[in-house]
Each structure stands twice: as structure tokens, then as C-alpha cells.
Amino acid sequence: MLNRVRSAVAHLVSSGGAPPPRPKSPDLSNAPSAQPAVPPEAPRSPPARAGSGSSAPAKTVEARASFSRPTFLQLSPGGLRRADDHAGRAVQSPPDTGRRLPWSTGYAEVINAGKSRHNEDQACCEVVYVEGRRSVSGVPREPSRGQGLCFYYWGLFDGHAGGGAAEMASRLLHRHIREQLKDLSCWSSQKEVTHESLVVGAIENAFQFMDEQMAQERRGHQVEGGCCALVVVYLLGKVYVANAGDSRAIIVRNGEIIPMSREFTPETERQRLQLLGFLKPELLGGEFTHLEFPRRIQPKELGQRMLYRDQNMTGWAYKKIELEDLRFPLVCGEGKKARVMATIGVTRGLGDHNLKVCSSTLPIKPFLSCFPEVRVYDLTQYEHCPDDVLVLGTDGLWDVTSDCEVAATVDRVLSAYEPNDPSRYTALAQALVLGARGTPRDRGWRLPNNKLGSGDDISVFVIPLGGPGSYS
């Protein structure tokens, strides 16, 4: 069983799903090895270059230079070209060089099936030291490693309308969190505010400062588009999961599924969006109505009674259709097709400062929140085994994979490895990505049940909760 699972995962990762001419070792091992913490200033994986005799057009070379992958993947130029191949869609994981990601974290990713030119997901995994800003008395003090604290950090950033915002957030958001956490040194146990609420506030503030920095630098640094952000911070025995967007996180503990985030979409945040449109109708520009109807209202239906709901309602009621009800609804569509102002399908994230309604100058950013929802999990309250994990995934995973399917994959893959084998977590991340991607067939990438696999970029972190030890 052990050899069969390992061989199957290794073959699928290295071959992109195509049958091999003969058995061979995979290009990438299952082990999630990389430096424990990549300095924030470290370069990204090098951009792919044309061969020495290439006469590729300038546009192609420029486009390639803008493509980068997480530093901890340590991709060579050839590896970067494979990572950018929509046809092969090879799964990428950190190489087995003897140094692993913090907590032996597993990671795997794959590019989309042609949805966008490049992989617009980005990822970051760091160990970050925080120096105290000043002493409890308020007197500045000399920096000393003994006076600070350390936090572990994981981040997934799902870009849209370009990868610039995701790439910038992956480089800088943990720095903003570090800066905000400096104030923890001022905390006194006599105060009514808890240590946990200060950490949550620091993370929320960091997201806001990151978004403001994107607004300031969007012209000079070409920070195009926006990104959903899913971040995990481990500090002083607690895991903080901050989510702004439609990426998700779950804990699988002893077979039990514990949701650690929820999606923020036009459907889940309908009432917040409608309330803002009601309070500030100028944001609708006379083009949209904050009311929701089961379908688009036609001019011939003026004066008739139709079902509707507003910012205060969870149910439906009837109203007489008036002229302003003929405007396009602020929130329209259902499920993955739901959109804000007929444009964007997520309602929280970073960036999107230049986003406008199509063929209009009406900005959409006022309706998009950069603030995450932060959920807290106390690791010290439970006895965790090596099979207990926190799974983070961009929507490319969750669009085609349920929580129960993820939990089943966790059990199947981890049971095939020894509990003390650190490569088991990257094997699990790879299996999750492969399961969502599917295999190439005549009609696209397909799952075993012949349903369409995910055509989106897919990125997955698997963080073991029972492996790190004392959590000190």
C-alpha cells in the first residue's frame, strides 16, 4: 500500500497525468524541503529566459519576465517554464534538499488550464521575528532578540485581473503584520483587552495597510488587479486564520472537520453590499439599484407587483415595480456566477483600486472590503496527532472538492506514510491538487467521475498540527 500510493502520486506529479513510456523517478520528490524562513528581500524564482539562439518577440520576453513563483519552490529556469505550461499542468512542490518549510509544511500548486496567461496564485511561508516597539512604561529600549517574539506565517494569495497584487502581497503582508505586532510589547495583563484581541486587531490593521500601500503604488509599480488573501499566523500557542476572499481553510482533526474560514462572495455579503448602496446611493451612479429581484425586471412590468428583497431582508416580499427598479441590480447571479455590479465575483480582498464597471467610469472598490475575518484556534487545548492538519486552498481546490473529500484524502494519504516521515505532508498537498486538477482527456481535464476538474490555478498548504512538538 505504501509503495503504491507513493508511486502513483510521484508519477502524476511528474508526468501531468499522461501515461509513462516506462517507470521512472519523478522530477520532484514528495518532501517539502526548503529554507525554514526565506528572507523577505530574497528574489523570487528566476523568470524563464529564451534560449541563446532565440529570436522571440520582445512582447513574449517581457511577459515571461513578469511571471514568478514562490521563492521556496527554488525553481530553475526550466522548472519555471514547466510551471507556466498550461498544457502539461505539472504539479510543483519544494525540492528535497534537506531543508524543509516550517513545521514540515506541505505545499503544492498547479497552473490553470488557460483561464489566464500565467499562474496568478502566489504563496508565502515565513518565520518572522518581531522586536518590541518600547517597554511597558513607554520608554524606548534597545533592540534585543530576548525582548521580542516570533511568529510563523503562511499565506495564499489568489490574484485576479493580473498577478501583480498577489505577488506584492506575498512579499509584503507579513512585514505589515510584523510591524503591527510590535505593539504587543506594550500589553499589560491588567488591561481589559485580551492578548488574543490585540493579535486579531494587528492582523486586521496589517491587511488595511497592505491595501493602502497597493493604492499608493499601483501606478509606479504596475500593481494590476487584486487578490484574495488567506493568511495563517501561529503565535504563542494559537493559530489565527485570516481570510479575505473565496479561498478557504479547514482543520481535519481525528477525522472531524473544523471550518476555519468562510467565503466572501456577492451572495454571502449581499446585505452588506445592499446596505452600503442604500446609505450611499451616489456609489450606484444611477446605473444600479440596491434592491434584489429574482430576475431582471422588464419595462413592460412597470406597475406590476414583483418579488424583491432589500438590505434588511433574508426572505422575499412583494412590491410595486417603479422606474428606478429597471436599473441593473447591484448583486446579480447565483453561485460562482454571482457578481457585484456585473463585474467581480468576490467581495473582500486586496487591491482592485482601478476596477471599474465595464464601459463605465463607476468604481467598484467602495463595495470591496480589504478587512479579513479572523478565526482563532487554540492548539494548547487539544492533544494533536501527526495526522491532524490545517489545509489551506485557493478556490481552485474548493470549486470541485468538498470538505468531506479533503478529509478522506487526508486519511488515505497520511495512513500510507510513517507518522514521523515529514514528506507525508507534501504528498498530501500534491494529492489534493491532483484530485482537483484531474487528468487530461478528449474534453478537457476530468475527475474520476468524468466531471470537469478545476480549470483554475490551484494552490494548497498542508500544515501539520501534531508534528511541531511543544508549540513554544
Side-chain angles (χ1 to χ4, degrees):
M1 177 65 177
L2 171 64
N3 291 332
R4 287 201 302 271
V5 172
R6 289 184 173 180
S7 298
V9 172
H11 159 58
L12 286 170
V13 170
S14 62
S15 66
R22 63 183 185 274
K24 62 180 181 179
S25 299
D27 293 334
L28 297 176
S29 147
N30 289 334
S33 54
Q35 53 269 48
V38 179
E41 293 78 10
R44 314 293 286 183
S45 296
R49 299 176 181 175
S52 57
S54 170
S55 57
K59 281 187 178 180
T60 302
V61 174
E62 183 178 358
R64 286 283 184 181
S66 66
F67 178 66
S68 67
R69 300 313 310 139
T71 307
F72 57 73
L73 286 177
Q74 303 178 41
L75 295 181
S76 64
L80 198 67
R81 283 191 293 271
R82 287 193 296 274
D84 203 20
D85 178 14
H86 295 279
R89 298 189 76 190
V91 176
Q92 303 291 329
S93 289
D96 185 9
T97 58
R99 292 186 298 174
R100 306 187 183 281
L101 293 177
W103 292 22
S104 294
T105 295
Y107 177 80
E109 67 172 37
V110 71
I111 196 171
N112 62 80
K115 178 181 177 182
S116 60
R117 182 177 180 85
H118 299 297
N119 188 338
E120 295 181 348
D121 283 2
Q122 288 291 346
C124 181
C125 184
E126 299 278 352
V127 180
V128 185
Y129 178 74
V130 184
E131 293 179 346
R133 199 183 301 279
R134 57 186 179 271
S135 67
V136 175
S137 64
V139 178
R141 60 189 180 191
E142 292 297 320
S144 168
R145 294 194 71 85
Q147 295 174 334
L149 51 87
C150 182
F151 69 88
Y152 292 82
Y153 173 90
W154 299 262
L156 287 181
F157 306 93
D158 184 355
H160 48 258
E167 197 277 336
M168 184 177 183
S170 70
R171 287 187 293 107
L172 299 177
L173 181 55
H174 58 283
R175 297 190 193 182
H176 285 289
I177 294 176
R178 178 184 63 191
E179 187 65 22
Q180 296 302 307
L181 287 175
K182 287 181 179 180
D183 289 324
L184 284 181
S185 60
C186 313
W187 177 73
S188 170
S189 59
Q190 281 74 38
K191 295 183 178 179
E192 295 180 0
V193 177
T194 64
H195 179 274
E196 180 180 299
S197 67
L198 285 175
V199 176
V200 171
I203 295 172
E204 291 170 335
N205 252 358
F207 270 67
Q208 183 178 27
F209 282 122
M210 183 74 257
D211 191 61
E212 290 174 354
Q213 184 176 359
M214 287 182 176
Q216 294 166 2
E217 299 185 13
R218 66 183 185 274
R219 291 189 181 90
H221 291 74
Q222 298 180 335
V223 183
E224 76 275 17
C227 68
C228 300
L230 175 62
V231 162
V232 172
V233 171
Y234 169 76
L235 178 64
L236 301 176
K238 294 182 179 179
V239 171
Y240 299 81
V241 180
N243 184 49
D246 59 0
S247 298
R248 288 205 297 113
I250 66 170
I251 285 175
V252 180
R253 187 186 70 201
N254 194 27
E256 178 189 5
I257 297 168
I258 305 171
M260 290 302 296
S261 68
R262 62 189 177 107
E263 297 180 13
F264 291 102
T265 67
E267 281 190 315
T268 63
E269 292 213 281
R270 173 187 63 84
Q271 287 179 283
R272 177 183 72 80
L273 300 171
Q274 287 181 313
L275 178 60
L276 182 57
F278 171 75
L279 295 175
K280 295 188 175 182
E282 66 274 12
L283 296 178
L284 303 176
E287 301 179 32
F288 294 87
T289 172
H290 74 282
L291 299 180
E292 182 185 14
F293 300 93
R295 57 175 174 78
R296 187 74 190 276
I297 304 299
Q298 303 299 316
K300 64 181 180 180
E301 294 174 312
L302 279 170
Q304 297 182 20
R305 290 173 60 79
M306 297 289 292
L307 286 170
Y308 86 104
R309 58 182 178 180
D310 63 15
Q311 68 280 359
N312 299 310
M313 302 169 64
T314 55
W316 295 84
Y318 282 91
K319 77 179 294 290
K320 183 178 179 181
I321 297 300
E322 302 172 2
L323 191 60
E324 54 267 28
D325 296 329
L326 300 181
R327 297 171 183 168
F328 204 87
L330 171 62
V331 176
C332 63
E334 297 179 351
K336 293 296 291 185
K337 294 183 179 180
R339 293 292 182 268
V340 178
M341 302 176 111
T343 304
I344 187 169
V346 290
T347 53
R348 298 201 192 191
L350 303 170
D352 289 313
H353 295 280
N354 293 327
L355 188 60
K356 302 281 196 302
V357 174
C358 183
S359 303
S360 171
T361 59
L362 203 59
I364 297 177
K365 181 63 176 179
F367 290 96
L368 308 180
S369 172
C370 66
F371 284 95
E373 178 182 67
V374 184
R375 297 189 179 184
V376 186
Y377 180 83
D378 191 343
L379 280 174
T380 66
Q381 296 300 306
Y382 305 93
E383 290 290 335
H384 295 90
C385 73
D387 289 355
D388 296 336
V389 293
L390 170 59
V391 177
L392 315 180
T394 54
D395 66 329
L397 172 69
W398 304 108
D399 284 348
V400 298
T401 312
S402 68
D403 291 356
C404 290
E405 289 170 330
V406 168
T409 303
V410 169
D411 178 65
R412 174 175 59 84
V413 174
L414 295 186
S415 64
Y417 286 78
E418 293 297 328
N420 60 351
D421 185 348
S423 69
R424 66 206 306 260
Y425 303 111
T426 284
L428 173 54
Q430 291 171 346
L432 290 170
V433 170
L434 287 166
R437 183 202 68 177
T439 54
R441 298 183 188 172
D442 293 339
R443 293 177 295 125
W445 294 83
R446 295 280 170 172
L447 304 178
N449 59 11
N450 206 37
K451 290 184 178 180
L452 277 174
S454 175
D456 200 355
D457 303 314
I458 311 170
S459 301
V460 172
F461 271 125
V462 175
I463 306 170
L465 302 179
S470 62
Y471 306 118
S472 60

